[in-house]
Amino acid sequence: MESLISNSYVFWGLLALLLLLAEAATFTSVAFVFSIAAAIVFLSLFVADAPQSLAGQLLLFAVAGVVLLYPIRRFQKRTATAPTTGDVAASIEGAPGGVIRHADEGGCSGRVLLDHAFLGGREWMFESETVVQPGQRVRIADVHGNILKVDLHRGES
């Protein structure tokens, strides 16, 4: 095994490619980082024929991987897009009103048809603290999962 790794830029080049393929399959930055580290060892052997020993090659691989891991992970976290889900308060501000389409027995749940699409849908299940009837206009007060919490529009009873 040592003869395969020692002074063999082919091994490190293949390892870099395999780790790059693993990165493409898993989308983890760790495989990408160590792919770059293996490429560094590959280039050092190919260009300068150093380090000669297996221990030196492994040390260069480990150090390069650890040194690259922190800045690459930091860059990924800094450039990651903010999640668009979970910001219910901002979504509700511009939420459309709607009309009760169907009210279940008791009148505190059913289906509401919104004036226009809200978070991808026009018709939603709803829950209300007050009894509502089909045809009444409501506004969205909150979102819990895929259920809208609705209130009657002001001025309606």
Side-chain angles (χ1 to χ4, degrees):
M1 176 74 174
E2 186 170 333
S3 64
L4 175 66
I5 298 172
S6 183
N7 296 331
S8 177
Y9 60 88
V10 175
F11 171 80
W12 290 104
L14 288 175
L15 182 62
L17 287 175
L18 287 174
L19 288 170
L20 198 56
L21 288 174
E23 167 63 27
T26 61
F27 300 109
T28 63
S29 59
V30 176
F32 179 67
V33 166
F34 284 102
S35 173
I36 294 172
I40 289 171
V41 176
F42 165 79
L43 288 173
S44 71
L45 287 170
F46 187 73
V47 174
D49 198 27
Q52 293 286 326
S53 70
L54 174 61
Q57 293 171 19
L58 292 175
L59 180 65
L60 178 59
F61 175 71
V63 168
V66 170
V67 167
L68 288 171
L69 187 60
Y70 177 74
I72 288 176
R73 296 286 290 190
R74 185 176 166 120
F75 174 77
Q76 284 179 327
K77 287 180 181 179
R78 189 181 50 209
T79 60
T81 58
T84 57
T85 59
D87 191 9
V88 176
S91 298
I92 291 174
E93 281 182 26
V99 177
I100 300 297
R101 184 172 186 161
H102 169 75
D104 295 336
E105 192 173 325
C108 291
S109 63
R111 301 208 50 90
V112 62
L113 181 63
L114 302 176
D115 296 337
H116 56 83
F118 174 69
L119 298 176
R122 244 188 113 190
E123 190 170 315
W124 286 71
M125 294 187 315
F126 78 88
E127 290 180 354
S128 174
E129 291 183 7
T130 59
V131 176
V132 293
Q133 302 297 323
Q136 284 184 307
R137 290 211 43 89
V138 293
R139 68 175 185 85
I140 299 171
D142 203 357
V143 178
H144 288 197
N146 62 348
I147 298 175
L148 298 180
K149 304 291 184 174
V150 297
D151 292 334
L152 288 175
H153 263 286
R154 292 183 195 358
E156 293 196 30
S157 53

